[in-house]
Amino acid sequence: MTTTSPEARSASTRRAWKPRLGAVAAASVATAVVGALAPLLGADMVIEMPGMPPGPVPVAAFVMWTALFGLIGWGALALAERLMGARGRLLWTVAAVVFTVVSCVPSLSVGGAAATEAVLVFTHVLAAAILVPVFWRSSTVA
């Protein structure tokens, strides 16, 4: 079993933040661009939440939710790496894929048009496709 010194782990953790922050920013921008362009491609982006009148999904919501869950994922990976090493990275990756699939379920039940629901599901998959590989490659246990 190979042990990593605290100094080496600290140095690799310092290097990991730049690509991870870049991935969170890139995923946020990418989902916002998709959300902004969707009406031009025929998706009205109007949803109806229970107990609320129908309304459009604001582009800022794509940025906010992608950034929030990207940062939560980053924190979860950092914790998993610290507590479990390489196994933590593997566990986090499986959890990230499962979470991506589960996060698509509400998008399919928001009471919007099929095109709107497809855009919402696509943005979840797009964010995961950007975040998961970058977080994996920048892992401090790699």
Side-chain angles (χ1 to χ4, degrees):
M1 177 176 183
T2 305
T3 341
T4 306
S5 71
E7 294 82 20
R9 190 178 314 127
S10 177
S12 63
T13 300
R14 283 193 300 269
R15 286 189 302 271
W17 76 269
K18 286 181 183 179
R20 290 180 183 182
L21 183 60
V24 170
S28 298
V29 169
T31 58
V33 168
V34 169
L37 293 178
L40 302 174
L41 302 173
D44 63 9
M45 299 309 291
V46 173
I47 60 172
E48 186 174 347
M49 302 296 285
M52 298 176 64
V57 178
V59 173
F62 289 97
V63 175
M64 180 185 71
W65 292 113
T66 303
L68 175 67
F69 282 100
L71 293 172
I72 289 171
W74 180 355
L77 176 57
L79 183 63
E81 288 172 331
R82 183 171 269 301
L83 296 177
M84 299 169 53
R87 287 190 179 143
R89 180 175 71 167
L90 177 61
L91 176 66
W92 176 86
T93 304
V94 170
V97 171
V98 169
F99 185 79
T100 300
V101 172
V102 171
S103 74
C104 292
V105 173
S107 297
L108 297 172
S109 61
V110 293
T116 299
E117 291 178 352
V119 168
L120 294 174
V121 168
F122 176 72
T123 57
H124 285 89
V125 174
L126 175 62
I130 294 169
L131 295 169
V132 172
V134 173
F135 284 12
W136 174 269
R137 280 193 311 270
S138 65
S139 177
T140 60
V141 295

